[in-house]
Amino acid sequence: MSETVSTALLLIDIQASFTSRPYWSDAEVPAFLAACNALIDGCTRQGVPIVQVLHTDGPAESSNPFAVASGLIRPLDGLRSYTPALSFHKHRHSALVGTGLAEWLKGRGITRLIVAGIRTEQCCETTTRHASDEGWDVDYVTEATLTFDMLTPAGTVLTAAAIKERTETVLTERFATLCSVSTALARSLPATSQAQAAA
């Protein structure tokens, strides 16, 4: 008798829209994509369902990179091709708001979520906090998230690295378990497989 898969991978907003934003930077993209692709490969091998979340908002004109008419509501170039168990467009920061995702997860007995995507401190963090408050265990894989430098209200630069560190600080032991790609994949194995791997 096979064990029920209780983990799902959420790939949040890993889409071409961001490349049209003035803050876009390629600097961390190769490492980010490598981490995301490793999660996709590992979850595919283990039979962990992968949920594709893409963001749309703002005016419907093609000049808005987050409008469907822009043609940019598609996976970021370099992201591994995969067959999503569920795919949807969201219109809020949390992937659990107005999407039916919560019902889909509960209907499949999924109790743990692996979070990856763009941006670290925005939709990834917001979804993590929301999911934790709703009762899911969340594995937050910072290396599989991407963000960009920001200006503080005081006008100083807050680097992407500092933003990631801040997100880790506020999430850990409150809303999520911080995980590397390999740790998240190991934690998504059925209990018997975990025991065999540890033996």
Side-chain angles (χ1 to χ4, degrees), residues 8 54 57 118 163:
L54 299 171
D57 68 14
I118 306 175
I163 293 169

Side-chain angles (χ1 to χ4, degrees), residues 112-115 124-125 127-133 136-142 167-179 187:
R112 170 175 278 112
L113 305 176
I114 302 171
V115 169
C124 294
E125 181 179 327
T127 298
T128 295
R129 288 171 177 262
H130 190 170
S132 174
D133 281 353
W136 281 280
D137 294 324
V138 183
D139 288 353
Y140 193 88
V141 186
T142 309
T167 293
E168 289 183 329
T169 301
V170 298
L171 290 183
T172 189
E173 297 181 359
R174 294 183 180 98
F175 301 98
T177 299
L178 301 182
C179 289
R187 283 164 56 85

Side-chain angles (χ1 to χ4, degrees), residues 67-90:
V68 173
S70 71
L72 297 173
I73 311 299
R74 55 177 170 78
L76 188 66
D77 289 345
L79 187 69
R80 181 91 74 244
S81 178
Y82 63 96
T83 301
L86 178 68
S87 180
F88 60 86
H89 291 178
K90 67 177 177 62

Side-chain angles (χ1 to χ4, degrees), residues 8-18 50-56 66 72-76 79 82 84-102 104-105 113-119 123-124 127:
L9 169 61
L10 304 186
L11 296 179
I12 300 173
D13 302 350
I14 308 176
Q15 62 193 73
S17 306
F18 288 99
I50 303 173
V51 177
Q52 179 187 64
V53 184
L54 299 171
H55 190 83
T56 64
F66 287 90
L72 297 173
I73 311 299
R74 55 177 170 78
L76 188 66
L79 187 69
Y82 63 96
L86 178 68
S87 180
F88 60 86
H89 291 178
K90 67 177 177 62
H91 310 290
R92 298 289 185 267
H93 294 105
S94 172
L96 293 165
V97 174
T99 62
L101 175 59
W104 187 89
L105 294 169
L113 305 176
I114 302 171
V115 169
I118 306 175
R119 303 173 53 171
C123 294
C124 294
T127 298

